[in-house]
Each structure stands twice: as structure tokens, then as C-alpha cells.
Amino acid sequence: MSMLDHAMRQTIAAQLRTRLIRNRALRQRLLANPKAVLAEEFDVQTPDDLRVTVVENTPFHQYLSLPAQSWQPTADAQPTAADEFEHLVMQRAAQDETFRQQALADPKGALEGLLHFKLPAQMQITAVEETPQAWY
């Protein structure tokens, strides 16, 4: 398998999250060298100029990963219940440039506006944006 579209990367990410719960060695390998893990575990070859960064959510620091601007949701996309909120945010960012820019500038405020409630004061939200040269 070579380059992956966004949907396939989301599928791999979901599989990894499940496996990482039980496999601390895989977690350490992924943090140290995500491209090697993609190659070894999923037969995914990535170009040398592609940066793959693993971000780790904690109870008080969440990452909001926005897809590349060229991404468009597919009509047949069926996110799992766990991924439904993330999919909603990605769709909104793909369809609403104002929301996308707000999410990048003030991700916590953008989420609070989308959810219509305040997040805990200690909660930190960091937005990252995928590009053709950078995956999160």
C-alpha cells in the first residue's frame, strides 16, 4: 500500500488507538518513529518529505486535527460513535472557512461555539492542520 487518503488514515488511527491501549511497546515505537510503525504494521510507505507527527491527548489537553483544506467528506462515511464528534468538526472545517480559521486561531472558542457550552477552564485545546506534507 502506498499513500493513503484521509479516510484510510482515520481507519488506521482508530485501529492504532485500540491496539495502543494494550500494547505499551507499540506506543513507544509509534512515538519514536511513526513512519516505521506505519510501514511495519500497516504496509504503508510514506515519502521522505512527509512529516508524520503523533499527538497525544490527555484529560486536560486535547488535540483538534483538521484535515487538509482539499479534504471533502464522502457521503458514505460512517464514523464510529467514538469518532462522531471528530467527524462533525472535520466536516464543519471543510465546509465553513470561517469556522476553520477560528478553529486554528482559537480552537477552544471554536469548539465551545460548536457545542454551545463552556469547556472547563483548565482544558487546553491545540489545533493542528494536516497538509499534503504533514499528517497528524
Side-chain angles (χ1 to χ4, degrees), residues 108-125:
K108 187 173 184 178
L111 290 180
E112 288 175 338
L114 185 63
L115 298 171
H116 304 291
F117 69 83
K118 293 292 253 178
L119 295 170
Q122 68 272 30
M123 176 65 74
Q124 181 180 353
I125 308 290

Side-chain angles (χ1 to χ4, degrees), residues 55-89:
V55 293
E56 187 173 20
N57 290 329
T58 68
F60 293 106
H61 190 176
Q62 299 287 307
Y63 286 85
L64 176 61
S65 179
L66 300 177
Q69 284 189 317
S70 60
W71 179 78
Q72 290 298 316
T74 58
D76 61 342
Q78 295 295 319
T80 65
D83 296 328
E84 203 167 308
F85 177 71
E86 181 181 359
H87 190 74
L88 172 69
V89 171

Side-chain angles (χ1 to χ4, degrees), residues 64 66-70 89-111 127-130:
L64 176 61
L66 300 177
Q69 284 189 317
S70 60
V89 171
M90 290 187 321
Q91 280 186 314
R92 179 78 180 267
Q95 297 168 351
D96 182 345
E97 184 61 26
T98 301
F99 174 79
R100 180 185 198 83
Q101 292 307 315
Q102 182 186 10
L104 290 168
D106 177 16
K108 187 173 184 178
L111 290 180
V128 293
E129 182 177 28
E130 291 192 346

